[in-house]
Amino acid sequence: MTKVAMMGAGSAGFCRMLVEDILSFESMKDIHFALMDVDPERLDLVHRSMQRMKEEHALACTFSATTDRREALAGADFAISMIQVGGLEPYKLDVSIPLKYGIDVCVGDTVNPGGIFRGLRHVPALLDMIRDMQDVSHPEIIFMNYANPMAIVSWAMQKMYPDTTSVGLCHGVQHTTNMLCKWLEVAVEECDVLTAGINHMAWFLKFRHNGNDLYPKMWDKIAAEGPIRGEEYRFEMMKATGYFMTESPGHLSEYLPYFRKRKDLLELFNGPGFSGETAYYLNSCLQHREKYLEEMRELADGRKPVPFRRGYKSVEYASNIMNAKLTGEITRFAGNVLNKGFISNLPYDCCVEVPVFVDRLGLHASYVGRIPEQCAALCQSNISAQELAVKAAIEGDPEAVYHACLLDPLTAAVLAPHEIRNMVDEMLEAQAPWLPQFKRRSSHAPGHRIGRLPTGVKSLAVGTEVSSKKGHYD
């Protein structure tokens, strides 16, 4: 029997959707789902609701539940991660502390100080999972991760454990393709796309309908109608670079130094929700937390029938990957992998998002070559921060945390170096309970302790003047 370990199964809505996806394939009708979460209450709710779904809809699959990671992973052929270390409490700090310093985000879970700190929390947990997989899982297990920050955690996992197959999965390509096809009034199944770049900053390099380039039609439609309402950020970047991008507008705006640094620009480009609204995702999670738990209790207790859409398949990639590995029915998806020359003008061994094919032998990332220089440069501006975040998470190096935030494009557009250092120190202190790798460690860099400037300083203490030539001279 095939076994999949669902790590972080307390994320019940997303977990149930993936369960439906997996059961839509004949090859996995009798699969065993090992549900694992560190929160026993949420895990119990999910397990009981899944058991009721099995009984109400006469499903052949089986479920188990455990708070023990190794037990869930024992003998597993596949593992899927949807974890959120610490839940919403550290996430609130990810958003609120940078906002106090002037860094305004819509989502804040992948880049900027909040995304970097989420990476510091998630990397150790995911590396622990892989260590357990190597001990107790099937030798050819495929580990599919949905937890953000996608590039940082995928980079860390594949760097530290290259012999265990792991890949980062997102849904930006699928949702964006569906949106553009609807806007252009073409059937998505008749379209072909080639996207490549980094997670949340991949580019539609080719976009065709029955072999015909759709970009001219997009440009004509923009000229005639303007951009899709709520997509102003992405269309502005298409006008700037010549290529459309894969991530939702509010999230994308966090990757760039251009927009979220001034109130007038936020008022001009922001829309509601994921179109750019300040702290939207965090506020949405907080607002719906209790309602969500009550709905889960109703399903688990039998007060409501557990929905199951037989044959339903979402746009998520995980089930397609599993079916391809089991049956040899080849599938292709956009995967986050280490760059082994797949994108030739991005750094070797950084994390890139490229087309990946799957068959019985496993995952096979494909060569893209050079992407447009302006697209590569924007990707590179985030890769440098991601690399330092990986170093910080693995080594517990607080100075690397500072350097990662120092190089983050939006942070650098808003704050001076001393303000970034003060913000990072505040975040490290506030999030200490979730960052054990930094326990009793502080930066010993001279710049951390010598001549420190407080935030809001109005004047500088300077030494003696040293005569030198100033200005231009031959």
Side-chain angles (χ1 to χ4, degrees):
M1 181 194 306
T2 303
K3 177 179 178 180
V4 57
M6 309 294 280
M7 314 302 286
S11 177
F14 191 68
C15 181
R16 191 168 71 238
M17 180 181 68
L18 293 181
V19 168
E20 284 186 326
D21 284 356
I22 291 166
L23 294 177
S24 72
F25 287 94
E26 190 65 34
S27 61
M28 296 181 283
K29 294 290 187 186
D30 62 350
I31 195 169
H32 179 71
F33 295 95
L35 308 173
M36 184 270 162
D37 202 278
V38 297
D39 184 329
E41 179 187 2
R42 292 174 71 98
L43 179 64
D44 176 65
L45 292 174
V46 173
H47 186 214
R48 287 194 287 127
S49 65
M50 292 293 183
Q51 285 292 119
R52 289 197 58 248
M53 181 179 74
K54 169 183 167 61
E55 295 164 5
E56 291 174 9
H57 300 278
L59 302 175
C61 62
T62 54
F63 296 94
S64 62
T66 179
T67 57
D68 186 297
R69 189 174 59 221
R70 291 174 70 88
E71 182 182 340
L73 291 168
D77 304 280
F78 305 97
I80 300 174
S81 169
M82 52 205 111
I83 65 169
Q84 187 175 9
V85 173
L88 294 180
E89 295 312 306
Y91 185 25
K92 288 191 286 188
L93 299 171
D94 288 342
V95 174
S96 63
I97 294 176
L99 185 60
K100 183 176 75 173
Y101 284 80
I103 300 173
D104 180 302
V105 299
C106 175
V107 180
D109 69 351
T110 310
V111 289
N112 316 131
I116 290 167
F117 271 77
R118 181 178 288 235
L120 302 180
R121 300 192 299 273
H122 280 181
V123 164
L126 292 166
L127 294 183
D128 285 346
M129 280 186 204
I130 298 181
R131 278 191 287 270
D132 286 344
M133 287 175 207
Q134 292 184 332
D135 287 344
V136 302
S137 299
H138 189 284
E140 294 186 6
I141 188 172
I142 295 178
F143 183 28
M144 295 162 281
N145 175 60
Y146 280 100
N148 278 325
M150 188 58 64
I152 292 171
V153 299
S154 298
W155 189 333
M157 290 190 298
Q158 294 170 40
K159 174 183 178 178
M160 297 301 291
Y161 296 103
D163 295 331
T164 297
T165 300
S166 64
V167 67
L169 303 180
C170 190
H171 40 236
V173 173
Q174 309 94 295
H175 287 312
T176 301
T177 301
N178 288 338
M179 179 193 73
L180 291 177
C181 287
K182 184 176 181 180
W183 180 57
L184 295 171
E185 299 179 308
V186 295
V188 67
E189 60 270 14
E190 296 173 354
C191 292
D192 298 294
V193 302
L194 171 63
T195 63
I198 62 173
N199 181 242
H200 294 172
M201 192 180 262
W203 310 82
F204 278 76
L205 303 178
K206 295 179 182 178
F207 185 27
R208 296 174 180 171
H209 175 242
N210 290 330
N212 297 312
D213 186 7
L214 282 170
Y215 267 110
K217 188 173 182 179
M218 290 177 67
W219 288 114
D220 289 344
K221 201 166 176 68
I222 295 169
E225 304 174 5
I228 298 172
R229 186 180 300 274
E231 291 288 338
E232 290 82 357
Y233 284 117
R234 283 204 277 189
F235 279 92
E236 196 65 16
M237 289 308 297
M238 178 181 165
K239 290 186 287 181
T241 65
Y243 295 88
F244 205 75
M245 303 170 81
T246 55
E247 185 49 40
S248 61
H251 215 348
L252 168 65
S253 67
E254 299 167 352
Y255 280 70
L256 301 163
Y258 309 120
F259 302 109
R260 304 193 74 91
K261 59 185 177 181
R262 293 198 336 241
K263 183 179 179 181
D264 62 318
L265 293 174
L266 287 170
E267 291 174 350
L268 180 64
F269 289 102
N270 260 9
F274 285 115
S275 293
E277 182 180 332
T278 298
Y280 170 72
Y281 188 52
L282 172 63
N283 291 334
S284 178
C285 292
L286 292 170
Q287 180 182 349
H288 295 104
R289 176 165 51 179
E290 290 306 317
K291 178 183 177 183
Y292 167 77
L293 285 173
E294 180 56 29
E295 288 176 351
M296 285 304 302
R297 292 185 189 103
E298 290 176 342
L299 296 176
D301 295 342
R303 287 178 278 156
K304 282 186 176 181
V306 182
F308 178 75
R309 297 164 289 185
R310 195 174 297 274
Y312 171 80
K313 174 70 181 67
S314 78
V315 299
E316 301 298 341
Y317 292 129
S319 61
N320 302 69
I321 294 169
M322 295 167 65
N323 180 67
K325 182 67 167 67
L326 292 170
T327 68
E329 296 174 10
I330 296 172
T331 191
R332 172 189 161 193
F333 68 97
N336 288 271
V337 297
L338 291 189
N339 186 24
K340 303 299 183 180
F342 306 127
I343 300 179
S344 55
N345 56 340
L346 290 180
Y348 194 86
D349 267 354
C350 75
C351 184
V352 293
E353 188 171 280
V354 295
V356 180
F357 291 84
V358 194
D359 58 19
R360 283 194 185 93
L361 296 178
L363 275 55
H364 315 282
S366 55
Y367 175 78
V368 174
R370 296 180 70 84
I371 64 175
E373 295 299 334
Q374 67 276 21
C375 302
L378 286 167
C379 289
Q380 179 63 61
S381 69
N382 285 275
I383 289 170
S384 297
Q386 292 165 358
E387 181 175 20
L388 284 157
V390 171
K391 172 182 170 64
I394 293 172
E395 299 179 9
D397 181 352
E399 193 68 5
V401 181
Y402 167 62
H403 288 151
C405 293
L406 183 74
L407 295 182
D408 175 74
L410 176 58
T411 304
V414 174
L415 299 178
H418 71 282
E419 296 170 318
I420 298 171
R421 190 178 284 283
N422 296 335
M423 176 190 65
V424 168
D425 281 359
E426 183 175 345
M427 293 182 74
L428 282 169
E429 182 178 355
Q431 298 206 26
W434 302 284
L435 300 174
Q437 71 270 46
F438 295 93
K439 189 175 182 180
R440 292 188 294 274
R441 296 194 65 178
S442 60
S443 177
H444 298 293
H448 186 264
R449 63 184 190 277
I450 297 174
R452 283 289 296 267
L453 298 176
T455 300
V457 63
K458 300 299 183 184
S459 62
L460 299 178
V462 297
T464 59
E465 182 175 350
V466 178
S467 178
S468 64
K469 290 184 178 181
K470 296 181 179 180
H472 296 284
Y473 53 90
D474 293 329

